[in-house]
Amino acid sequence: MAEPSVVYIHASAALGPNRDYLPAQRVRLSADPAPSDLRELTRRVLGQSLRQASHFVELAAIGARLCLERAGQAPPPATAVYLGTGLAEVRAGEALFKQVLPPGPGLASPFDFINATNNMAAFYVARLAGLVSRNLTLTLEQFSFEAALYLAWQDLRHGAVPAALVGGVDENSFPRANHLRFLSLRDDQVMGEGSAWLYLNGDPDGAIGEVLCVETLKTDGLGGTAWAQALRQFVGAQFTPTAPVSLLPGYGLAPEETEALTRALPGVMLAPYLDYCGCYPTAAAFGVAMQFDVPPAAPQLWLHVNRDRRGQTRLIGVRRPAGC
């Protein structure tokens, strides 16, 4: 069997909770962002309104279109779609339940019923881009984007698909107390939302980066210092850094865990992307895609690290050459 091919990143887009998708639009969040209305941005980016589409569908469609536009050429129809989401249709689901459960009227709006189907967003993404290949919606709590990226990475490395559009999309809901029924956050964590995408294939020509790894690190039961050392050993065994390493800490890391990592990985630089998007299950997609906002003057290597409440750790490694 031939050696697996390298997976290259050709375009990225990160849409944040304040409708930001350009570097000049990014702002640090000091509190939960206000509810956003995406209808005008949908018309501007897609060139059409998505009649009766949900907020979640609009998030996914806008982010995917921005990503594909930056690729500079139309994707082949056989491009596969992999959409990761931890919460999916929160708002449409809430609306549906209020209609069918007492004291509601007992009848559901047809559009709310359709939108509450969790794979509707991936369907819109594929239809708007003219894609006819596999179309998958994956959910694995706060590792949902990692699960989608891992599957796409493996499919591309082994020639199962010619190209892949991989995204992480989650919406927030209001009030915050209600949203915390779906997503556990500390008082100091901002409630976010976003839609971030990568366009991948095996062609190095025109690539802006490379996916180095999407790995699960066995750290169940390990405490702060032991866990940080296990990660240091993995990095030392898997990477020979030829560029500065930036650490992207996921929202599952406690502050003391991030601090332990910075001590265990000498010279590592922190890239606190959650300041710009807030916390949501697929924020990792935003963190990775946002790093491509501005071309670097020197080669860069990013390592996204996240943990869940069971102590499992997942890593995403990305390399970017200078000037791309």
Side-chain angles (χ1 to χ4, degrees):
M1 180 181 295
E3 286 294 316
S5 60
V6 176
V7 174
Y8 294 99
I9 302 169
H10 281 260
S12 70
L15 174 64
N18 289 316
R19 299 182 292 275
D20 51 290
Y21 60 91
L22 297 173
Q25 299 170 333
R26 309 283 190 209
V27 294
R28 291 182 180 273
L29 303 175
S30 58
D32 292 345
S36 62
D37 186 334
L38 294 173
R39 286 173 293 184
E40 190 279 329
L41 185 60
T42 299
R43 288 191 293 269
R44 176 150 42 96
V45 172
L46 301 180
Q48 61 178 292
S49 297
L50 298 181
R51 294 184 63 249
Q52 304 298 332
S54 68
H55 180 77
F56 180 71
V57 167
E58 289 177 327
L59 267 178
I62 294 169
R65 173 61 64 85
L66 290 169
C67 181
L68 291 176
E69 285 181 347
R70 293 171 182 177
Q73 58 183 357
T79 297
V81 175
Y82 304 79
L83 189 156
T85 179
L87 300 176
E89 285 281 3
V90 177
R91 299 186 191 184
E94 284 273 291
L96 180 65
F97 287 131
K98 287 180 180 178
Q99 293 167 37
V100 300
L101 296 176
L107 295 175
S109 159
F111 289 108
D112 284 337
F113 178 79
I114 292 170
N115 284 328
T117 304
N118 289 335
N119 65 346
M120 187 58 64
F123 162 78
Y124 268 94
V125 167
R127 183 176 69 84
L128 290 168
L131 307 180
V132 296
S133 183
R134 65 183 63 178
N135 185 318
L136 302 175
T137 299
L138 300 98
T139 182
L140 189 61
E141 296 183 325
Q142 67 194 62
F143 294 147
S144 297
F145 175 67
E146 286 88 338
L149 182 60
Y150 178 79
L151 186 55
W153 183 55
Q154 292 287 26
D155 282 351
L156 284 165
R157 291 171 73 204
H158 297 93
V161 296
L165 182 61
V166 189
V169 184
D170 275 296
E171 64 179 354
N172 54 22
S173 63
F174 298 86
R176 178 185 173 100
N178 183 70
H179 195 64
L180 293 183
R181 294 188 299 136
F182 310 106
L183 182 68
S184 178
L185 296 177
R186 302 190 307 269
D187 290 342
D188 64 324
Q189 290 181 311
V190 172
M191 179 181 72
E193 72 171 12
S195 172
W197 295 79
L198 301 175
Y199 178 60
L200 312 172
N201 63 34
D203 184 2
D205 187 28
I208 61 173
E210 174 189 346
V211 179
L212 296 176
C213 74
V214 188
E215 300 283 351
T216 299
L217 189 61
K218 296 187 181 300
T219 56
D220 304 48
L222 294 181
T225 303
W227 169 70
Q229 291 302 321
L231 182 58
R232 178 180 181 178
Q233 292 174 7
F234 173 86
V235 171
Q238 298 293 323
F239 299 109
T240 304
T242 56
V245 178
S246 293
L247 176 67
L248 282 62
Y251 87 90
L253 298 189
E256 59 270 18
E257 292 176 321
T258 300
E259 184 179 343
L261 282 184
T262 58
R263 290 197 304 266
L265 301 171
V268 72
M269 296 177 292
L270 279 181
Y273 70 90
L274 294 171
D275 292 353
Y276 297 92
C277 68
C279 297
Y280 58 94
T282 54
F286 186 97
V288 172
M290 179 188 171
Q291 306 311 311
F292 292 90
D293 274 357
V294 179
Q300 292 185 331
L301 190 153
W302 300 305
L303 184 66
H304 186 279
V305 183
N306 204 7
R307 294 189 91 187
D308 65 9
R309 59 178 177 268
R310 294 179 292 272
Q312 188 180 79
T313 303
R314 298 223 176 180
L315 312 173
I316 300 172
V318 173
R319 177 187 292 128
R320 187 179 191 187
C324 292

